[in-house]
Amino acid sequence: SPLQQTQSYSSSQQLRTGPVEFPARLREMEDVKGSDGLGDTELRLGLPGTSTATRSAKRALPEGDEESHDELRRTSAAKAQVVGWPPIRSYRKNSFPGRKVEAEAAAGLYVKVSMDGAPYLRKIDLGVYKGYKELREGLDNMFKCFSLAELSRREGGSGSEYAITYEDKDGDLMLVGDVPWEMFISSCKRLRIMKGSEARGLNSRH
Amino acid sequence: MTYFPEEVVEHIFDFLGSHRDRNAVSTVCKAWYHVERFSRRNVFVGNCYAIRPERVMARFPGMKSLSVKGKPHFADYNLVPYDWGGFALPWINAAVRRCPGLEDLRLKRMVVTDDDLDLLARSFPNFRSLVLVSCEGFSTDGLAAIATYCRGLRELDLQENEVEDHGRQWLSCFHESCTSLVSLNFACLKGEVNAGVLERLVARCPNLRSLKLNRAVSVESLNEIVARAPYLVDLGTGSFAVDHHTDAYQRLMNSFSKCKSLSSLSGFWEASPHCLDAVYPVCINLTVLNMSYAPAIQADDLIKLISLCFKLQKLWVLDCIGDKGLAVVASTCKELQELRVFPSDIYGAGATSVTEEGLVAISSGCPKLNSLLYFCYQMTNAALITVAKNCPHFTRFRLCILDPWKPDPVTNQPLDEGFGAIVRSCKNLRRLSLSGLLTDQVFLYIGLYAKCLEMLSIAFAGDSDKGMVYILKGCKNLRKLEIRDCPFGDFALLNDVAKYETMRSLWMSSCDVTLGGCKALAAKMPRLNVEIINESEGSDKLEENISDLHKAEKMYVYRTVAGPRNDAPDFVWTL
């Protein structure tokens, strides 16, 4: 998903130290290309600040370090964040409808969208939008055939006689746009485009 | 050979099946080059940017069948941005102008639009076969054009494409007079098709042998279809959601029992355990079984099914089959050549999975095994050494231990020795994917023993540049090398630059190669395209003060006679 792909190179360091279960992956300082003072920010497969291991094909494990490395053990959620790992085609990942959590993390955040007055619902993947602006544009595009927003615009209304609301995890009807985007997409269960008149009760900011 | 008239030489060349052999003979002398180029019918282009389409068509004017590949393999795992390239249009355009007799087109990992499909459909009167694998950019409208204008169409095979659904009418576009279909695969489509239209299409195509339905096709429809096409050899069942208590189920069972030719089964998207009984009558003849899209079918039901499949040669399953299930495969499927075990739960929730035991069982029970793709949570050196001893015939060995850097859980050692045993024993190994904890040692082994290796995939492995150097030096037949998250840098990259002209491509992402290193490579080797994919926001231009010491996040290098490509998006820099 786009969320995963925007992670910059340096921030991905943290994730990479995650899955290490045994502290055998320590590199020698001399091997770190970029002996230009960037050593501290150099990507390493071990705890920052740890000393290097001697080079040998069979690595002995320092006993005491096991506990601290357990702390770095990846959680299931963190595992999902390494782009392109495990190497499974998205087609296959997207094929399994079950198990909500994994489906959300990897295969898209599909929610139903209803519009008052429209004969049928649509489904969108919240994961493809980068923020609220894009979401609004996407919804506009999707529902423009019902020309209701257009109609209100032509009649001299502001064009935003419709409010976009969503149902959150607790089942409450909320106005879209109040909370940070990330929080929104993790709590949004379905979207509803409401007539302005009905939405006025929810309107707390505009 | 100069004594033989051209017709004789051409006839001899007819016996050369592979394009590689044909490429080889065309370099012998001018005369042979000429005979070969006019007689070549099947053209394969492994990298669409390695050569311009016009040049291909000019060289092979008699081309009837074209196969082109676009994006690098790691695009399958979302490592290549959406609009990187790989457009089909230039190839279709060139064929329209130069090879109007085109009959077959196969595209893999390319961007194909509806307009492209429309152009294709209208331009080639003899068009017979369209195969699209892992492509994107088109919708059912494009398929409608194909159905409408390709009157003699024999094959429409859509494998794992991202297809936008614009409605179900495309299937109706097959004219009533279209009776030539031999193979139809629309399993990857998400939308519905008109059941009646589908059934009538099947009924009027007496040569139909391969049919793969999508998830939206109901069991009732499947029933009608199977009843009308008892000569099917290869069937993708569609949803297969049926209650085994119903009449529909009984009818299905009857239909299947009449399918004497059925040897390949897939689909089962929504199959629930008990409804597999309907399939039992055909198990005895199955050579190919793909249950990897049926997450509701657990080990016990898989075992019941597989224990009837004595002739199975190719099996794709989910890891819920477990080691127990694999033991049954080992004792039943003595003809097995290819096994793929996919993870059903990639987030490590600890559900049933397979371990090294299952793999060892398979290796000892299935002596003909030559192709493996195996996802698991752990592997041991001892197991790999045993597998290597039992199965020296591997040509493809792809092991994916789901946790990066995971060592042998019994000994805490890296898996160097295990993979070393595999490459030492399997002298014909052409493709290898590594995983688990690995040091430079494994690359030493690979360089030393894997002389036939053509494709190598490496992730989270190695200690230093030496690892990559061993590979480049030792693997004489290497064509494709793809590396991610390994500590290989400029020294390894630049160690033997001439090597890359002997290969199709090199991919390195999240490694230690720097921009400076990539520039140096590009400067030394003008016949390579060195492309950097830069996805960080705000830096559009190479000139914007990005230090040469900056790491190149994603680098794709490939040999080409076409020069730098002219369709690269902003975020791709050709150095």
Side-chain angles (χ1 to χ4, degrees), chain A residues 124-154:
Chain A
I124 59 170
D125 178 359
L126 292 176
V128 311
Y129 302 105
K130 293 200 179 75
Y132 287 119
K133 179 167 175 294
E134 277 191 57
L135 174 65
R136 272 179 227 280
E137 282 166 4
L139 290 175
D140 225 13
N141 238 4
M142 200 178 254
F143 285 91
K144 66 179 176 226
C145 57
F146 301 116
S147 68
L148 297 163
E150 192 55 46
L151 192 63
S152 95
R153 214 173 280 126
R154 274 193 250 128

mmCIF file of all heavy atoms in Angstrom, chain A residues 124-154:
data_model
loop_
_atom_site.group_PDB
_atom_site.id
_atom_site.type_symbol
_atom_site.label_atom_id
_atom_site.label_comp_id
_atom_site.label_asym_id
_atom_site.label_seq_id
_atom_site.Cartn_x
_atom_site.Cartn_y
_atom_site.Cartn_z
ATOM 1 N N ILE A 124 -14.981 1.355 -1.642
ATOM 2 C CA ILE A 124 -13.689 1.955 -1.964
ATOM 3 C C ILE A 124 -12.608 1.418 -1.035
ATOM 4 O O ILE A 124 -12.894 0.942 0.069
ATOM 5 C CB ILE A 124 -13.699 3.502 -1.855
ATOM 6 C CG1 ILE A 124 -14.081 3.940 -0.434
ATOM 7 C CG2 ILE A 124 -14.609 4.129 -2.889
ATOM 8 C CD1 ILE A 124 -13.868 5.416 -0.190
ATOM 9 N N ASP A 125 -11.385 1.523 -1.525
ATOM 10 C CA ASP A 125 -10.239 1.091 -0.745
ATOM 11 C C ASP A 125 -9.598 2.338 -0.141
ATOM 12 O O ASP A 125 -8.986 3.131 -0.849
ATOM 13 C CB ASP A 125 -9.253 0.367 -1.678
ATOM 14 C CG ASP A 125 -7.999 -0.086 -0.965
ATOM 15 O OD1 ASP A 125 -7.859 0.174 0.250
ATOM 16 O OD2 ASP A 125 -7.151 -0.707 -1.617
ATOM 17 N N LEU A 126 -9.782 2.534 1.160
ATOM 18 C CA LEU A 126 -9.238 3.737 1.794
ATOM 19 C C LEU A 126 -7.720 3.797 1.681
ATOM 20 O O LEU A 126 -7.125 4.859 1.747
ATOM 21 C CB LEU A 126 -9.650 3.794 3.269
ATOM 22 C CG LEU A 126 -11.141 4.020 3.526
ATOM 23 C CD1 LEU A 126 -11.429 3.957 5.023
ATOM 24 C CD2 LEU A 126 -11.587 5.362 2.965
ATOM 25 N N GLY A 127 -7.119 2.630 1.531
ATOM 26 C CA GLY A 127 -5.665 2.584 1.466
ATOM 27 C C GLY A 127 -5.062 3.280 0.251
ATOM 28 O O GLY A 127 -3.888 3.638 0.259
ATOM 29 N N VAL A 128 -5.858 3.494 -0.790
ATOM 30 C CA VAL A 128 -5.264 4.121 -1.979
ATOM 31 C C VAL A 128 -5.231 5.638 -1.897
ATOM 32 O O VAL A 128 -4.602 6.298 -2.717
ATOM 33 C CB VAL A 128 -5.970 3.700 -3.294
ATOM 34 C CG1 VAL A 128 -6.126 2.203 -3.365
ATOM 35 C CG2 VAL A 128 -7.299 4.389 -3.454
ATOM 36 N N TYR A 129 -5.900 6.182 -0.917
ATOM 37 C CA TYR A 129 -5.906 7.640 -0.801
ATOM 38 C C TYR A 129 -4.861 8.103 0.193
ATOM 39 O O TYR A 129 -4.616 7.465 1.204
ATOM 40 C CB TYR A 129 -7.280 8.140 -0.333
ATOM 41 C CG TYR A 129 -8.392 7.733 -1.253
ATOM 42 C CD1 TYR A 129 -9.269 6.712 -0.909
ATOM 43 C CD2 TYR A 129 -8.564 8.345 -2.477
ATOM 44 C CE1 TYR A 129 -10.280 6.312 -1.765
ATOM 45 C CE2 TYR A 129 -9.576 7.954 -3.339
ATOM 46 C CZ TYR A 129 -10.432 6.951 -2.976
ATOM 47 O OH TYR A 129 -11.417 6.571 -3.834
ATOM 48 N N LYS A 130 -4.255 9.250 -0.143
ATOM 49 C CA LYS A 130 -3.202 9.735 0.749
ATOM 50 C C LYS A 130 -3.759 10.636 1.846
ATOM 51 O O LYS A 130 -3.075 10.898 2.839
ATOM 52 C CB LYS A 130 -2.145 10.504 -0.053
ATOM 53 C CG LYS A 130 -1.355 9.632 -1.014
ATOM 54 C CD LYS A 130 -0.036 10.291 -1.402
ATOM 55 C CE LYS A 130 0.778 9.428 -2.344
ATOM 56 N NZ LYS A 130 0.246 9.432 -3.726
ATOM 57 N N GLY A 131 -4.931 11.152 1.631
ATOM 58 C CA GLY A 131 -5.493 12.054 2.640
ATOM 59 C C GLY A 131 -6.930 12.409 2.329
ATOM 60 O O GLY A 131 -7.523 11.909 1.371
ATOM 61 N N TYR A 132 -7.451 13.324 3.118
ATOM 62 C CA TYR A 132 -8.868 13.680 2.989
ATOM 63 C C TYR A 132 -9.203 14.302 1.646
ATOM 64 O O TYR A 132 -10.264 14.053 1.079
ATOM 65 C CB TYR A 132 -9.270 14.633 4.120
ATOM 66 C CG TYR A 132 -9.391 13.955 5.466
ATOM 67 C CD1 TYR A 132 -8.593 14.327 6.539
ATOM 68 C CD2 TYR A 132 -10.320 12.927 5.653
ATOM 69 C CE1 TYR A 132 -8.710 13.703 7.766
ATOM 70 C CE2 TYR A 132 -10.432 12.297 6.867
ATOM 71 C CZ TYR A 132 -9.627 12.685 7.929
ATOM 72 O OH TYR A 132 -9.749 12.056 9.140
ATOM 73 N N LYS A 133 -8.294 15.131 1.152
ATOM 74 C CA LYS A 133 -8.567 15.818 -0.120
ATOM 75 C C LYS A 133 -8.776 14.794 -1.227
ATOM 76 O O LYS A 133 -9.737 14.853 -1.992
ATOM 77 C CB LYS A 133 -7.397 16.745 -0.439
ATOM 78 C CG LYS A 133 -7.544 17.518 -1.753
ATOM 79 C CD LYS A 133 -6.490 18.636 -1.818
ATOM 80 C CE LYS A 133 -6.486 19.370 -3.137
ATOM 81 N NZ LYS A 133 -6.074 18.538 -4.278
ATOM 82 N N GLU A 134 -7.863 13.835 -1.266
ATOM 83 C CA GLU A 134 -7.981 12.824 -2.315
ATOM 84 C C GLU A 134 -9.230 11.982 -2.160
ATOM 85 O O GLU A 134 -9.848 11.561 -3.135
ATOM 86 C CB GLU A 134 -6.757 11.912 -2.291
ATOM 87 C CG GLU A 134 -5.568 12.482 -3.029
ATOM 88 C CD GLU A 134 -4.482 11.461 -3.201
ATOM 89 O OE1 GLU A 134 -4.741 10.386 -3.771
ATOM 90 O OE2 GLU A 134 -3.371 11.724 -2.743
ATOM 91 N N LEU A 135 -9.566 11.727 -0.904
ATOM 92 C CA LEU A 135 -10.764 10.939 -0.641
ATOM 93 C C LEU A 135 -11.987 11.666 -1.176
ATOM 94 O O LEU A 135 -12.825 11.093 -1.867
ATOM 95 C CB LEU A 135 -10.920 10.673 0.863
ATOM 96 C CG LEU A 135 -12.221 9.986 1.274
ATOM 97 C CD1 LEU A 135 -12.288 8.575 0.706
ATOM 98 C CD2 LEU A 135 -12.345 9.934 2.797
ATOM 99 N N ARG A 136 -12.078 12.957 -0.879
ATOM 100 C CA ARG A 136 -13.226 13.738 -1.352
ATOM 101 C C ARG A 136 -13.284 13.736 -2.870
ATOM 102 O O ARG A 136 -14.346 13.582 -3.455
ATOM 103 C CB ARG A 136 -13.128 15.174 -0.841
ATOM 104 C CG ARG A 136 -13.764 15.379 0.517
ATOM 105 C CD ARG A 136 -13.626 16.827 0.991
ATOM 106 N NE ARG A 136 -13.175 16.879 2.367
ATOM 107 C CZ ARG A 136 -13.973 16.707 3.421
ATOM 108 N NH1 ARG A 136 -15.250 16.498 3.261
ATOM 109 N NH2 ARG A 136 -13.470 16.755 4.643
ATOM 110 N N GLU A 137 -12.120 13.905 -3.487
ATOM 111 C CA GLU A 137 -12.089 13.922 -4.948
ATOM 112 C C GLU A 137 -12.545 12.576 -5.498
ATOM 113 O O GLU A 137 -13.292 12.493 -6.470
ATOM 114 C CB GLU A 137 -10.674 14.234 -5.450
ATOM 115 C CG GLU A 137 -10.331 15.708 -5.346
ATOM 116 C CD GLU A 137 -8.836 15.973 -5.517
ATOM 117 O OE1 GLU A 137 -8.076 15.023 -5.798
ATOM 118 O OE2 GLU A 137 -8.443 17.147 -5.357
ATOM 119 N N GLY A 138 -12.058 11.524 -4.843
ATOM 120 C CA GLY A 138 -12.429 10.186 -5.286
ATOM 121 C C GLY A 138 -13.922 9.956 -5.181
ATOM 122 O O GLY A 138 -14.570 9.412 -6.082
ATOM 123 N N LEU A 139 -14.502 10.393 -4.068
ATOM 124 C CA LEU A 139 -15.931 10.190 -3.867
ATOM 125 C C LEU A 139 -16.730 11.037 -4.852
ATOM 126 O O LEU A 139 -17.740 10.600 -5.401
ATOM 127 C CB LEU A 139 -16.320 10.552 -2.429
ATOM 128 C CG LEU A 139 -15.810 9.592 -1.362
ATOM 129 C CD1 LEU A 139 -16.138 10.101 0.026
ATOM 130 C CD2 LEU A 139 -16.422 8.207 -1.560
ATOM 131 N N ASP A 140 -16.255 12.244 -5.067
ATOM 132 C CA ASP A 140 -16.890 13.156 -6.026
ATOM 133 C C ASP A 140 -16.987 12.493 -7.390
ATOM 134 O O ASP A 140 -18.034 12.468 -8.028
ATOM 135 C CB ASP A 140 -16.002 14.400 -6.145
ATOM 136 C CG ASP A 140 -16.816 15.659 -6.097
ATOM 137 O OD1 ASP A 140 -17.995 15.551 -5.718
ATOM 138 O OD2 ASP A 140 -16.284 16.714 -6.427
ATOM 139 N N ASN A 141 -15.885 11.957 -7.791
ATOM 140 C CA ASN A 141 -15.770 11.274 -9.062
ATOM 141 C C ASN A 141 -16.728 10.095 -9.159
ATOM 142 O O ASN A 141 -17.379 9.863 -10.159
ATOM 143 C CB ASN A 141 -14.341 10.716 -9.188
ATOM 144 C CG ASN A 141 -13.676 11.271 -10.417
ATOM 145 O OD1 ASN A 141 -14.247 12.097 -11.105
ATOM 146 N ND2 ASN A 141 -12.490 10.785 -10.686
ATOM 147 N N MET A 142 -16.770 9.360 -8.078
ATOM 148 C CA MET A 142 -17.521 8.115 -8.067
ATOM 149 C C MET A 142 -19.019 8.373 -8.108
ATOM 150 O O MET A 142 -19.768 7.648 -8.734
ATOM 151 C CB MET A 142 -17.173 7.360 -6.786
ATOM 152 C CG MET A 142 -17.487 5.899 -6.836
ATOM 153 S SD MET A 142 -16.970 5.141 -5.303
ATOM 154 C CE MET A 142 -15.530 4.285 -5.842
ATOM 155 N N PHE A 143 -19.433 9.418 -7.447
ATOM 156 C CA PHE A 143 -20.865 9.642 -7.328
ATOM 157 C C PHE A 143 -21.381 10.770 -8.201
ATOM 158 O O PHE A 143 -22.539 11.147 -8.108
ATOM 159 C CB PHE A 143 -21.236 9.919 -5.861
ATOM 160 C CG PHE A 143 -21.214 8.681 -5.014
ATOM 161 C CD1 PHE A 143 -20.057 8.308 -4.344
ATOM 162 C CD2 PHE A 143 -22.328 7.869 -4.911
ATOM 163 C CE1 PHE A 143 -20.017 7.158 -3.574
ATOM 164 C CE2 PHE A 143 -22.292 6.708 -4.138
ATOM 165 C CZ PHE A 143 -21.139 6.357 -3.472
ATOM 166 N N LYS A 144 -20.512 11.304 -9.041
ATOM 167 C CA LYS A 144 -20.955 12.462 -9.816
ATOM 168 C C LYS A 144 -22.080 12.110 -10.776
ATOM 169 O O LYS A 144 -22.841 12.957 -11.191
ATOM 170 C CB LYS A 144 -19.794 13.094 -10.566
ATOM 171 C CG LYS A 144 -19.198 12.240 -11.651
ATOM 172 C CD LYS A 144 -18.062 13.000 -12.331
ATOM 173 C CE LYS A 144 -17.414 12.099 -13.345
ATOM 174 N NZ LYS A 144 -15.958 12.133 -13.255
ATOM 175 N N CYS A 145 -22.157 10.822 -11.124
ATOM 176 C CA CYS A 145 -23.218 10.426 -12.041
ATOM 177 C C CYS A 145 -24.597 10.656 -11.449
ATOM 178 O O CYS A 145 -25.582 10.753 -12.168
ATOM 179 C CB CYS A 145 -23.060 8.967 -12.452
ATOM 180 S SG CYS A 145 -23.022 7.852 -11.062
ATOM 181 N N PHE A 146 -24.651 10.762 -10.147
ATOM 182 C CA PHE A 146 -25.954 11.036 -9.558
ATOM 183 C C PHE A 146 -26.262 12.521 -9.567
ATOM 184 O O PHE A 146 -27.361 12.946 -9.248
ATOM 185 C CB PHE A 146 -26.027 10.485 -8.129
ATOM 186 C CG PHE A 146 -25.785 9.011 -8.092
ATOM 187 C CD1 PHE A 146 -24.681 8.485 -7.438
ATOM 188 C CD2 PHE A 146 -26.654 8.161 -8.756
ATOM 189 C CE1 PHE A 146 -24.461 7.118 -7.426
ATOM 190 C CE2 PHE A 146 -26.428 6.796 -8.740
ATOM 191 C CZ PHE A 146 -25.333 6.279 -8.072
ATOM 192 N N SER A 147 -25.245 13.265 -9.964
ATOM 193 C CA SER A 147 -25.345 14.717 -10.220
ATOM 194 C C SER A 147 -26.086 15.491 -9.151
ATOM 195 O O SER A 147 -26.663 16.535 -9.398
ATOM 196 C CB SER A 147 -25.996 14.984 -11.585
ATOM 197 O OG SER A 147 -27.346 14.597 -11.574
ATOM 198 N N LEU A 148 -26.028 14.975 -7.949
ATOM 199 C CA LEU A 148 -26.764 15.664 -6.888
ATOM 200 C C LEU A 148 -25.960 16.832 -6.362
ATOM 201 O O LEU A 148 -26.463 17.912 -6.137
ATOM 202 C CB LEU A 148 -27.095 14.683 -5.758
ATOM 203 C CG LEU A 148 -28.011 13.554 -6.217
ATOM 204 C CD1 LEU A 148 -27.994 12.393 -5.248
ATOM 205 C CD2 LEU A 148 -29.437 14.074 -6.384
ATOM 206 N N ALA A 149 -24.662 16.593 -6.197
ATOM 207 C CA ALA A 149 -23.798 17.684 -5.747
ATOM 208 C C ALA A 149 -23.770 18.764 -6.806
ATOM 209 O O ALA A 149 -23.809 19.951 -6.513
ATOM 210 C CB ALA A 149 -22.395 17.165 -5.468
ATOM 211 N N GLU A 150 -23.738 18.306 -8.064
ATOM 212 C CA GLU A 150 -23.741 19.229 -9.196
ATOM 213 C C GLU A 150 -25.004 20.074 -9.185
ATOM 214 O O GLU A 150 -24.980 21.279 -9.376
ATOM 215 C CB GLU A 150 -23.668 18.382 -10.476
ATOM 216 C CG GLU A 150 -23.386 19.187 -11.728
ATOM 217 C CD GLU A 150 -22.136 20.008 -11.619
ATOM 218 O OE1 GLU A 150 -21.105 19.496 -11.175
ATOM 219 O OE2 GLU A 150 -22.207 21.208 -11.949
ATOM 220 N N LEU A 151 -26.097 19.402 -8.955
ATOM 221 C CA LEU A 151 -27.389 20.076 -8.932
ATOM 222 C C LEU A 151 -27.415 21.167 -7.866
ATOM 223 O O LEU A 151 -27.825 22.298 -8.104
ATOM 224 C CB LEU A 151 -28.491 19.039 -8.640
ATOM 225 C CG LEU A 151 -29.926 19.501 -8.857
ATOM 226 C CD1 LEU A 151 -30.159 19.848 -10.318
ATOM 227 C CD2 LEU A 151 -30.887 18.392 -8.453
ATOM 228 N N SER A 152 -26.934 20.832 -6.700
ATOM 229 C CA SER A 152 -26.980 21.821 -5.627
ATOM 230 C C SER A 152 -26.069 22.989 -5.944
ATOM 231 O O SER A 152 -26.339 24.118 -5.597
ATOM 232 C CB SER A 152 -26.620 21.163 -4.292
ATOM 233 O OG SER A 152 -25.260 21.337 -4.020
ATOM 234 N N ARG A 153 -24.991 22.682 -6.671
ATOM 235 C CA ARG A 153 -24.083 23.754 -7.061
ATOM 236 C C ARG A 153 -24.766 24.686 -8.050
ATOM 237 O O ARG A 153 -24.660 25.892 -7.972
ATOM 238 C CB ARG A 153 -22.831 23.156 -7.709
ATOM 239 C CG ARG A 153 -21.563 23.946 -7.434
ATOM 240 C CD ARG A 153 -20.307 23.246 -7.949
ATOM 241 N NE ARG A 153 -19.843 22.193 -7.068
ATOM 242 C CZ ARG A 153 -19.614 20.935 -7.439
ATOM 243 N NH1 ARG A 153 -19.795 20.561 -8.683
ATOM 244 N NH2 ARG A 153 -19.190 20.034 -6.573
ATOM 245 N N ARG A 154 -25.453 24.089 -9.000
ATOM 246 C CA ARG A 154 -26.135 24.884 -10.030
ATOM 247 C C ARG A 154 -27.247 25.733 -9.444
ATOM 248 O O ARG A 154 -27.552 26.792 -9.935
ATOM 249 C CB ARG A 154 -26.704 23.966 -11.112
ATOM 250 C CG ARG A 154 -25.672 23.649 -12.189
ATOM 251 C CD ARG A 154 -26.309 23.015 -13.406
ATOM 252 N NE ARG A 154 -25.925 21.615 -13.516
ATOM 253 C CZ ARG A 154 -26.803 20.625 -13.649
ATOM 254 N NH1 ARG A 154 -28.081 20.872 -13.691
ATOM 255 N NH2 ARG A 154 -26.389 19.382 -13.750
#
